[in-house]
Amino acid sequence: MGFLSSSAVTALLCLAAFVVLSAHAADPEEIRDFAPPPPGTQLDGNYFTSTKLRNINVDKGAFANVTTINVNNFPALSGLGVSNALLVYPPGSVNVPHTHPRGTETLFVIEGTLEINKSKQTVRAYASFSSTNAGLVSLPRTLFGVNIDIEVLTKSFEVSPYIIKTLSAQQP
């Protein structure tokens, strides 16, 4: 049984380094300064103006009302790699704990004070995302609405099976 020569070892190390250094992950969306509109689109101030956040109807309920601005409803964002949302919290409402797997969120409170909106005032916030489609993962629905073994959830949250069953029953 022979050993590899020093030149073979060097070649293997170089190949391994090349493979490791060439592997990378990236957001698949194409980012550019400006994406021209589809043929036949009138390119004027209206193309670059969205009125989607004007005159928002607010449903009074337990959850925040979210109006999104993205490439699907505002084509001028095409290629910029961003999206936005207006969140309106009726008094006493909440925004469900969640994550955005494909983007970072920055939230600016523009009216009121947001601490689970305990006030009697409506709170408005503006969110910006570092992706055209940041995605949304609702934690209650993900944890309690997908049939994860009750023993796993009971041990993980250190609560009784009754609490897990109650939370799971409330998910759509």
Side-chain angles (χ1 to χ4, degrees), residues 62-77:
F63 302 106
N65 294 261
V66 180
T67 304
T68 58
I69 301 289
N70 56 43
V71 72
N72 295 328
N73 56 34
F74 187 34
L77 295 179

Side-chain angles (χ1 to χ4, degrees), residues 5-80:
S5 68
S6 63
S7 60
V9 171
T10 303
L12 283 173
L13 287 175
C14 287
L15 180 61
F18 174 75
V19 169
V20 169
L21 294 176
S22 66
H24 66 280
D27 197 342
E29 58 189 306
E30 181 180 341
I31 306 295
R32 52 195 164 179
D33 292 333
F34 173 73
T41 301
Q42 181 71 28
L43 189 57
D44 58 14
N46 290 325
Y47 179 76
F48 297 100
T49 304
S50 173
T51 59
K52 191 163 172 57
L53 299 181
R54 294 182 185 165
N55 304 318
I56 301 289
N57 291 325
V58 178
D59 296 328
K60 306 269 189 230
F63 302 106
N65 294 261
V66 180
T67 304
T68 58
I69 301 289
N70 56 43
V71 72
N72 295 328
N73 56 34
F74 187 34
L77 295 179
S78 179
L80 299 180

Side-chain angles (χ1 to χ4, degrees), residues 90-93 113-121 123:
S93 66
T113 303
L114 189 59
E115 183 190 351
I116 312 177
N117 197 11
K118 295 177 184 177
S119 71
K120 296 188 186 317
Q121 305 296 320
V123 174

Side-chain angles (χ1 to χ4, degrees), residues 89-114:
Y89 299 83
S93 66
V94 298
N95 195 1
V96 174
H98 63 278
T99 63
H100 299 283
R102 293 182 299 279
T104 302
E105 176 181 12
T106 304
L107 185 73
F108 302 93
V109 176
I110 54 179
E111 180 183 330
T113 303
L114 189 59

